[in-house]
PDB file of all heavy atoms in Angstrom:
ATOM      1  N   MET A  14      37.236  79.123 150.974  1.00  0.00           N
ATOM      2  CA  MET A  14      36.719  78.029 151.919  1.00  0.00           C
ATOM      3  C   MET A  14      35.239  78.524 152.152  1.00  0.00           C
ATOM      4  O   MET A  14      34.927  79.411 152.903  1.00  0.00           O
ATOM      5  CB  MET A  14      37.442  78.013 153.213  1.00  0.00           C
ATOM      6  CG  MET A  14      38.871  77.372 152.981  1.00  0.00           C
ATOM      7  SD  MET A  14      39.973  77.537 154.398  1.00  0.00           S
ATOM      8  CE  MET A  14      40.461  79.217 154.436  1.00  0.00           C
ATOM      9  N   ARG A  16      32.970  76.552 153.854  1.00  0.00           N
ATOM     10  CA  ARG A  16      32.469  76.117 155.107  1.00  0.00           C
ATOM     11  C   ARG A  16      33.629  76.105 156.108  1.00  0.00           C
ATOM     12  O   ARG A  16      34.786  76.183 155.793  1.00  0.00           O
ATOM     13  CB  ARG A  16      32.021  74.720 154.958  1.00  0.00           C
ATOM     14  CG  ARG A  16      30.559  74.542 154.237  1.00  0.00           C
ATOM     15  CD  ARG A  16      29.945  73.239 154.555  1.00  0.00           C
ATOM     16  NE  ARG A  16      30.678  72.078 154.087  1.00  0.00           N
ATOM     17  CZ  ARG A  16      30.629  70.911 154.695  1.00  0.00           C
ATOM     18  NH1 ARG A  16      29.939  70.680 155.695  1.00  0.00           N
ATOM     19  NH2 ARG A  16      31.342  69.875 154.129  1.00  0.00           N
ATOM     20  N   ASP A  17      33.230  76.156 157.399  1.00  0.00           N
ATOM     21  CA  ASP A  17      34.235  76.060 158.482  1.00  0.00           C
ATOM     22  C   ASP A  17      35.042  74.661 158.314  1.00  0.00           C
ATOM     23  O   ASP A  17      34.354  73.716 158.019  1.00  0.00           O
ATOM     24  CB  ASP A  17      33.549  76.086 159.861  1.00  0.00           C
ATOM     25  CG  ASP A  17      34.464  75.967 160.990  1.00  0.00           C
ATOM     26  OD1 ASP A  17      35.094  77.067 161.370  1.00  0.00           O
ATOM     27  OD2 ASP A  17      34.729  74.874 161.535  1.00  0.00           O
ATOM     28  N   LEU A  18      36.372  74.779 158.400  1.00  0.00           N
ATOM     29  CA  LEU A  18      37.148  73.584 158.080  1.00  0.00           C
ATOM     30  C   LEU A  18      36.877  72.453 159.091  1.00  0.00           C
ATOM     31  O   LEU A  18      37.042  71.304 158.822  1.00  0.00           O
ATOM     32  CB  LEU A  18      38.656  73.960 157.961  1.00  0.00           C
ATOM     33  CG  LEU A  18      38.955  74.977 156.897  1.00  0.00           C
ATOM     34  CD1 LEU A  18      40.455  75.163 156.798  1.00  0.00           C
ATOM     35  CD2 LEU A  18      38.420  74.457 155.555  1.00  0.00           C
ATOM     36  N   TYR A  19      36.658  72.911 160.334  1.00  0.00           N
ATOM     37  CA  TYR A  19      36.351  71.745 161.355  1.00  0.00           C
ATOM     38  C   TYR A  19      34.996  71.105 161.001  1.00  0.00           C
ATOM     39  O   TYR A  19      34.936  69.949 161.178  1.00  0.00           O
ATOM     40  CB  TYR A  19      36.283  72.474 162.830  1.00  0.00           C
ATOM     41  CG  TYR A  19      37.602  72.949 163.264  1.00  0.00           C
ATOM     42  CD1 TYR A  19      38.066  74.224 163.081  1.00  0.00           C
ATOM     43  CD2 TYR A  19      38.459  72.102 163.878  1.00  0.00           C
ATOM     44  CE1 TYR A  19      39.339  74.723 163.642  1.00  0.00           C
ATOM     45  CE2 TYR A  19      39.774  72.528 164.320  1.00  0.00           C
ATOM     46  CZ  TYR A  19      40.101  73.862 164.118  1.00  0.00           C
ATOM     47  OH  TYR A  19      41.357  74.231 164.642  1.00  0.00           O
ATOM     48  N   ASP A  20      33.992  71.860 160.486  1.00  0.00           N
ATOM     49  CA  ASP A  20      32.795  71.235 160.187  1.00  0.00           C
ATOM     50  C   ASP A  20      32.922  70.330 159.006  1.00  0.00           C
ATOM     51  O   ASP A  20      32.254  69.250 158.892  1.00  0.00           O
ATOM     52  CB  ASP A  20      31.745  72.285 159.735  1.00  0.00           C
ATOM     53  CG  ASP A  20      31.182  73.138 160.944  1.00  0.00           C
ATOM     54  OD1 ASP A  20      31.567  72.640 162.161  1.00  0.00           O
ATOM     55  OD2 ASP A  20      30.622  74.195 160.821  1.00  0.00           O
ATOM     56  N   VAL A  21      33.871  70.591 158.112  1.00  0.00           N
ATOM     57  CA  VAL A  21      34.053  69.733 156.950  1.00  0.00           C
ATOM     58  C   VAL A  21      34.649  68.424 157.442  1.00  0.00           C
ATOM     59  O   VAL A  21      34.132  67.318 156.888  1.00  0.00           O
ATOM     60  CB  VAL A  21      35.041  70.355 155.931  1.00  0.00           C
ATOM     61  CG1 VAL A  21      35.473  69.348 154.936  1.00  0.00           C
ATOM     62  CG2 VAL A  21      34.565  71.609 155.324  1.00  0.00           C
ATOM     63  N   LEU A  22      35.382  68.336 158.435  1.00  0.00           N
ATOM     64  CA  LEU A  22      35.874  67.039 159.067  1.00  0.00           C
ATOM     65  C   LEU A  22      35.000  66.497 160.155  1.00  0.00           C
ATOM     66  O   LEU A  22      35.288  65.488 160.565  1.00  0.00           O
ATOM     67  CB  LEU A  22      37.328  67.288 159.528  1.00  0.00           C
ATOM     68  CG  LEU A  22      38.420  67.633 158.436  1.00  0.00           C
ATOM     69  CD1 LEU A  22      39.759  67.922 159.081  1.00  0.00           C
ATOM     70  CD2 LEU A  22      38.574  66.568 157.466  1.00  0.00           C
ATOM     71  N   GLY A  23      33.905  67.210 160.386  1.00  0.00           N
ATOM     72  CA  GLY A  23      33.089  66.770 161.490  1.00  0.00           C
ATOM     73  C   GLY A  23      33.791  66.738 162.849  1.00  0.00           C
ATOM     74  O   GLY A  23      33.439  65.827 163.685  1.00  0.00           O
ATOM     75  N   LEU A  24      34.526  67.768 163.102  1.00  0.00           N
ATOM     76  CA  LEU A  24      35.275  67.804 164.370  1.00  0.00           C
ATOM     77  C   LEU A  24      35.143  69.042 165.167  1.00  0.00           C
ATOM     78  O   LEU A  24      34.943  70.075 164.491  1.00  0.00           O
ATOM     79  CB  LEU A  24      36.865  67.561 164.047  1.00  0.00           C
ATOM     80  CG  LEU A  24      37.241  66.265 163.487  1.00  0.00           C
ATOM     81  CD1 LEU A  24      38.692  66.385 163.131  1.00  0.00           C
ATOM     82  CD2 LEU A  24      37.016  65.117 164.467  1.00  0.00           C
ATOM     83  N   PRO A  25      35.306  69.056 166.417  1.00  0.00           N
ATOM     84  CA  PRO A  25      35.197  70.359 167.215  1.00  0.00           C
ATOM     85  C   PRO A  25      36.602  71.056 167.102  1.00  0.00           C
ATOM     86  O   PRO A  25      37.575  70.377 166.728  1.00  0.00           O
ATOM     87  CB  PRO A  25      35.061  69.896 168.742  1.00  0.00           C
ATOM     88  CG  PRO A  25      35.544  68.481 168.649  1.00  0.00           C
ATOM     89  CD  PRO A  25      35.396  67.911 167.286  1.00  0.00           C
ATOM     90  N   ARG A  26      36.507  72.231 167.420  1.00  0.00           N
ATOM     91  CA  ARG A  26      37.899  72.967 167.335  1.00  0.00           C
ATOM     92  C   ARG A  26      38.897  72.493 168.345  1.00  0.00           C
ATOM     93  O   ARG A  26      40.196  72.843 168.168  1.00  0.00           O
ATOM     94  CB  ARG A  26      37.633  74.482 167.593  1.00  0.00           C
ATOM     95  CG  ARG A  26      36.909  75.112 166.521  1.00  0.00           C
ATOM     96  CD  ARG A  26      36.710  76.732 166.612  1.00  0.00           C
ATOM     97  NE  ARG A  26      36.180  77.163 165.372  1.00  0.00           N
ATOM     98  CZ  ARG A  26      36.910  77.768 164.448  1.00  0.00           C
ATOM     99  NH1 ARG A  26      38.269  77.753 164.526  1.00  0.00           N
ATOM    100  NH2 ARG A  26      36.353  78.136 163.283  1.00  0.00           N
ATOM    101  N   SER A  27      38.561  71.771 169.292  1.00  0.00           N
ATOM    102  CA  SER A  27      39.479  71.137 170.336  1.00  0.00           C
ATOM    103  C   SER A  27      40.120  69.867 169.789  1.00  0.00           C
ATOM    104  O   SER A  27      40.887  69.222 170.589  1.00  0.00           O
ATOM    105  CB  SER A  27      38.776  70.964 171.594  1.00  0.00           C
ATOM    106  OG  SER A  27      37.670  70.023 171.435  1.00  0.00           O
ATOM    107  N   ALA A  28      39.779  69.431 168.577  1.00  0.00           N
ATOM    108  CA  ALA A  28      40.272  68.190 168.142  1.00  0.00           C
ATOM    109  C   ALA A  28      41.771  68.132 168.120  1.00  0.00           C
ATOM    110  O   ALA A  28      42.488  69.010 167.740  1.00  0.00           O
ATOM    111  CB  ALA A  28      39.717  67.842 166.613  1.00  0.00           C
ATOM    112  N   SER A  29      42.368  66.838 168.504  1.00  0.00           N
ATOM    113  CA  SER A  29      43.779  66.657 168.487  1.00  0.00           C
ATOM    114  C   SER A  29      44.295  66.438 167.016  1.00  0.00           C
ATOM    115  O   SER A  29      43.567  66.181 166.083  1.00  0.00           O
ATOM    116  CB  SER A  29      44.145  65.465 169.291  1.00  0.00           C
ATOM    117  OG  SER A  29      43.632  64.286 168.730  1.00  0.00           O
ATOM    118  N   ILE A  33      42.254  64.646 163.873  1.00  0.00           N
ATOM    119  CA  ILE A  33      42.133  65.357 162.452  1.00  0.00           C
ATOM    120  C   ILE A  33      42.656  64.366 161.444  1.00  0.00           C
ATOM    121  O   ILE A  33      42.017  64.197 160.378  1.00  0.00           O
ATOM    122  CB  ILE A  33      42.989  66.641 162.389  1.00  0.00           C
ATOM    123  CG1 ILE A  33      42.349  67.648 163.435  1.00  0.00           C
ATOM    124  CG2 ILE A  33      43.150  67.164 160.991  1.00  0.00           C
ATOM    125  CD1 ILE A  33      43.265  68.907 163.549  1.00  0.00           C
ATOM    126  N   ALA A  36      40.075  61.505 161.041  1.00  0.00           N
ATOM    127  CA  ALA A  36      38.780  61.985 160.327  1.00  0.00           C
ATOM    128  C   ALA A  36      39.025  62.112 158.820  1.00  0.00           C
ATOM    129  O   ALA A  36      38.229  61.649 158.002  1.00  0.00           O
ATOM    130  CB  ALA A  36      38.337  63.241 161.057  1.00  0.00           C
ATOM    131  N   LEU A  40      37.064  59.987 155.967  1.00  0.00           N
ATOM    132  CA  LEU A  40      36.212  60.703 155.019  1.00  0.00           C
ATOM    133  C   LEU A  40      36.751  60.666 153.605  1.00  0.00           C
ATOM    134  O   LEU A  40      36.146  60.611 152.627  1.00  0.00           O
ATOM    135  CB  LEU A  40      36.007  62.104 155.476  1.00  0.00           C
ATOM    136  CG  LEU A  40      35.204  62.177 156.752  1.00  0.00           C
ATOM    137  CD1 LEU A  40      35.245  63.632 157.325  1.00  0.00           C
ATOM    138  CD2 LEU A  40      33.706  61.728 156.575  1.00  0.00           C
ATOM    139  N   LEU A  61      37.499  68.252 151.774  1.00  0.00           N
ATOM    140  CA  LEU A  61      38.289  67.551 152.731  1.00  0.00           C
ATOM    141  C   LEU A  61      39.758  67.742 152.641  1.00  0.00           C
ATOM    142  O   LEU A  61      40.521  67.938 153.553  1.00  0.00           O
ATOM    143  CB  LEU A  61      38.073  65.981 152.564  1.00  0.00           C
ATOM    144  CG  LEU A  61      36.586  65.523 152.943  1.00  0.00           C
ATOM    145  CD1 LEU A  61      36.433  64.076 152.549  1.00  0.00           C
ATOM    146  CD2 LEU A  61      36.352  65.635 154.456  1.00  0.00           C
ATOM    147  N   ALA A  64      40.619  71.192 153.920  1.00  0.00           N
ATOM    148  CA  ALA A  64      40.475  71.227 155.384  1.00  0.00           C
ATOM    149  C   ALA A  64      41.686  70.725 155.988  1.00  0.00           C
ATOM    150  O   ALA A  64      42.397  71.093 156.929  1.00  0.00           O
ATOM    151  CB  ALA A  64      39.287  70.602 155.900  1.00  0.00           C
ATOM    152  N   TYR A  65      42.095  69.350 155.506  1.00  0.00           N
ATOM    153  CA  TYR A  65      43.247  68.717 156.161  1.00  0.00           C
ATOM    154  C   TYR A  65      44.586  69.411 155.942  1.00  0.00           C
ATOM    155  O   TYR A  65      45.427  69.474 156.732  1.00  0.00           O
ATOM    156  CB  TYR A  65      43.410  67.288 155.505  1.00  0.00           C
ATOM    157  CG  TYR A  65      44.503  66.482 156.115  1.00  0.00           C
ATOM    158  CD1 TYR A  65      44.353  66.032 157.412  1.00  0.00           C
ATOM    159  CD2 TYR A  65      45.607  66.355 155.484  1.00  0.00           C
ATOM    160  CE1 TYR A  65      45.378  65.286 157.991  1.00  0.00           C
ATOM    161  CE2 TYR A  65      46.689  65.665 156.036  1.00  0.00           C
ATOM    162  CZ  TYR A  65      46.624  65.178 157.357  1.00  0.00           C
ATOM    163  OH  TYR A  65      47.631  64.455 157.803  1.00  0.00           O
ATOM    164  N   VAL A  67      45.109  72.607 155.790  1.00  0.00           N
ATOM    165  CA  VAL A  67      45.188  73.629 156.822  1.00  0.00           C
ATOM    166  C   VAL A  67      45.357  73.133 158.217  1.00  0.00           C
ATOM    167  O   VAL A  67      46.234  73.577 158.967  1.00  0.00           O
ATOM    168  CB  VAL A  67      44.047  74.690 156.774  1.00  0.00           C
ATOM    169  CG1 VAL A  67      44.099  75.609 157.868  1.00  0.00           C
ATOM    170  CG2 VAL A  67      43.994  75.216 155.315  1.00  0.00           C
ATOM    171  N   LEU A  68      44.484  72.196 158.584  1.00  0.00           N
ATOM    172  CA  LEU A  68      44.395  71.812 160.068  1.00  0.00           C
ATOM    173  C   LEU A  68      45.429  70.773 160.457  1.00  0.00           C
ATOM    174  O   LEU A  68      45.795  70.729 161.657  1.00  0.00           O
ATOM    175  CB  LEU A  68      43.084  71.299 160.348  1.00  0.00           C
ATOM    176  CG  LEU A  68      41.907  72.241 160.138  1.00  0.00           C
ATOM    177  CD1 LEU A  68      40.610  71.605 160.497  1.00  0.00           C
ATOM    178  CD2 LEU A  68      42.098  73.550 160.843  1.00  0.00           C
ATOM    179  N   SER A  69      46.180  70.125 159.568  1.00  0.00           N
ATOM    180  CA  SER A  69      47.148  69.229 159.857  1.00  0.00           C
ATOM    181  C   SER A  69      48.509  69.856 160.216  1.00  0.00           C
ATOM    182  O   SER A  69      49.407  69.298 160.789  1.00  0.00           O
ATOM    183  CB  SER A  69      47.344  68.219 158.716  1.00  0.00           C
ATOM    184  OG  SER A  69      47.848  68.845 157.555  1.00  0.00           O
ATOM    185  N   ASP A  70      48.625  71.126 159.763  1.00  0.00           N
ATOM    186  CA  ASP A  70      49.920  71.897 160.062  1.00  0.00           C
ATOM    187  C   ASP A  70      49.651  72.801 161.254  1.00  0.00           C
ATOM    188  O   ASP A  70      48.693  73.659 161.231  1.00  0.00           O
ATOM    189  CB  ASP A  70      50.295  72.716 158.962  1.00  0.00           C
ATOM    190  CG  ASP A  70      51.544  73.348 159.048  1.00  0.00           C
ATOM    191  OD1 ASP A  70      51.613  74.247 160.036  1.00  0.00           O
ATOM    192  OD2 ASP A  70      52.519  73.187 158.287  1.00  0.00           O
ATOM    193  N   PRO A  71      50.348  72.649 162.374  1.00  0.00           N
ATOM    194  CA  PRO A  71      50.108  73.453 163.643  1.00  0.00           C
ATOM    195  C   PRO A  71      50.131  74.928 163.342  1.00  0.00           C
ATOM    196  O   PRO A  71      49.323  75.673 163.922  1.00  0.00           O
ATOM    197  CB  PRO A  71      51.205  73.025 164.531  1.00  0.00           C
ATOM    198  CG  PRO A  71      51.622  71.555 164.060  1.00  0.00           C
ATOM    199  CD  PRO A  71      51.466  71.620 162.688  1.00  0.00           C
ATOM    200  N   THR A  73      49.630  76.602 160.437  1.00  0.00           N
ATOM    201  CA  THR A  73      48.491  77.164 159.534  1.00  0.00           C
ATOM    202  C   THR A  73      47.120  76.992 160.354  1.00  0.00           C
ATOM    203  O   THR A  73      46.335  77.793 160.241  1.00  0.00           O
ATOM    204  CB  THR A  73      48.253  76.462 158.229  1.00  0.00           C
ATOM    205  OG1 THR A  73      48.414  74.966 158.514  1.00  0.00           O
ATOM    206  CG2 THR A  73      49.576  76.693 157.383  1.00  0.00           C
ATOM    207  N   ARG A  74      46.993  75.988 161.174  1.00  0.00           N
ATOM    208  CA  ARG A  74      45.879  75.756 161.975  1.00  0.00           C
ATOM    209  C   ARG A  74      45.779  76.905 162.994  1.00  0.00           C
ATOM    210  O   ARG A  74      44.640  77.436 163.209  1.00  0.00           O
ATOM    211  CB  ARG A  74      45.927  74.465 162.739  1.00  0.00           C
ATOM    212  CG  ARG A  74      44.716  74.193 163.591  1.00  0.00           C
ATOM    213  CD  ARG A  74      44.782  72.915 164.348  1.00  0.00           C
ATOM    214  NE  ARG A  74      43.663  72.678 165.197  1.00  0.00           N
ATOM    215  CZ  ARG A  74      43.527  71.649 166.079  1.00  0.00           C
ATOM    216  NH1 ARG A  74      44.345  70.616 166.057  1.00  0.00           N
ATOM    217  NH2 ARG A  74      42.422  71.590 166.746  1.00  0.00           N
ATOM    218  N   ALA A  75      46.872  77.251 163.578  1.00  0.00           N
ATOM    219  CA  ALA A  75      46.854  78.387 164.459  1.00  0.00           C
ATOM    220  C   ALA A  75      46.321  79.687 163.842  1.00  0.00           C
ATOM    221  O   ALA A  75      45.540  80.449 164.323  1.00  0.00           O
ATOM    222  CB  ALA A  75      48.176  78.562 165.247  1.00  0.00           C
ATOM    223  N   ARG A  76      46.813  79.915 162.649  1.00  0.00           N
ATOM    224  CA  ARG A  76      46.545  81.149 161.880  1.00  0.00           C
ATOM    225  C   ARG A  76      45.023  80.974 161.520  1.00  0.00           C
ATOM    226  O   ARG A  76      44.354  82.135 161.487  1.00  0.00           O
ATOM    227  CB  ARG A  76      47.363  81.238 160.774  1.00  0.00           C
ATOM    228  CG  ARG A  76      48.843  81.731 161.034  1.00  0.00           C
ATOM    229  CD  ARG A  76      49.746  81.593 159.841  1.00  0.00           C
ATOM    230  NE  ARG A  76      49.337  82.237 158.640  1.00  0.00           N
ATOM    231  CZ  ARG A  76      49.343  83.506 158.452  1.00  0.00           C
ATOM    232  NH1 ARG A  76      49.923  84.290 159.453  1.00  0.00           N
ATOM    233  NH2 ARG A  76      48.987  84.075 157.334  1.00  0.00           N
ATOM    234  N   TYR A  77      44.493  79.878 161.136  1.00  0.00           N
ATOM    235  CA  TYR A  77      43.069  79.861 160.766  1.00  0.00           C
ATOM    236  C   TYR A  77      42.256  79.919 161.908  1.00  0.00           C
ATOM    237  O   TYR A  77      41.233  80.670 161.884  1.00  0.00           O
ATOM    238  CB  TYR A  77      42.950  78.376 160.195  1.00  0.00           C
ATOM    239  CG  TYR A  77      41.422  78.156 159.891  1.00  0.00           C
ATOM    240  CD1 TYR A  77      40.773  78.658 158.756  1.00  0.00           C
ATOM    241  CD2 TYR A  77      40.664  77.323 160.701  1.00  0.00           C
ATOM    242  CE1 TYR A  77      39.458  78.498 158.538  1.00  0.00           C
ATOM    243  CE2 TYR A  77      39.318  77.175 160.505  1.00  0.00           C
ATOM    244  CZ  TYR A  77      38.695  77.692 159.378  1.00  0.00           C
ATOM    245  OH  TYR A  77      37.440  77.478 159.140  1.00  0.00           O
ATOM    246  N   ASP A  78      42.674  79.513 163.122  1.00  0.00           N
ATOM    247  CA  ASP A  78      41.791  79.641 164.369  1.00  0.00           C
ATOM    248  C   ASP A  78      41.760  81.086 164.749  1.00  0.00           C
ATOM    249  O   ASP A  78      40.754  81.506 165.216  1.00  0.00           O
ATOM    250  CB  ASP A  78      42.489  78.789 165.387  1.00  0.00           C
ATOM    251  CG  ASP A  78      42.283  77.399 165.346  1.00  0.00           C
ATOM    252  OD1 ASP A  78      41.521  77.018 164.524  1.00  0.00           O
ATOM    253  OD2 ASP A  78      42.934  76.543 165.936  1.00  0.00           O
ATOM    254  N   ARG A  79      42.787  81.863 164.374  1.00  0.00           N
ATOM    255  CA  ARG A  79      42.902  83.264 164.759  1.00  0.00           C
ATOM    256  C   ARG A  79      42.201  84.236 163.811  1.00  0.00           C
ATOM    257  O   ARG A  79      41.388  85.119 164.242  1.00  0.00           O
ATOM    258  CB  ARG A  79      44.333  83.734 165.027  1.00  0.00           C
ATOM    259  CG  ARG A  79      44.480  85.144 165.513  1.00  0.00           C
ATOM    260  CD  ARG A  79      45.939  85.522 165.645  1.00  0.00           C
ATOM    261  NE  ARG A  79      46.035  86.874 166.211  1.00  0.00           N
ATOM    262  CZ  ARG A  79      47.238  87.529 166.379  1.00  0.00           C
ATOM    263  NH1 ARG A  79      48.374  86.758 166.134  1.00  0.00           N
ATOM    264  NH2 ARG A  79      47.281  88.795 166.760  1.00  0.00           N
TER     265      ARG A  79
END
Side-chain angles (χ1 to χ4, degrees):
M14 291 174 287
R16 288 201 293 155
D17 181 85
L18 298 186
Y19 291 96
D20 288 344
V21 172
L22 294 175
L24 295 172
R26 289 184 172 267
S27 59
S29 66
I33 290 173
L40 293 171
L61 291 169
Y65 182 75
V67 174
L68 301 182
S69 63
D70 185 299
T73 57
R74 179 181 179 181
R76 286 165 56 75
Y77 176 77
D78 288 345
R79 181 175 181 185

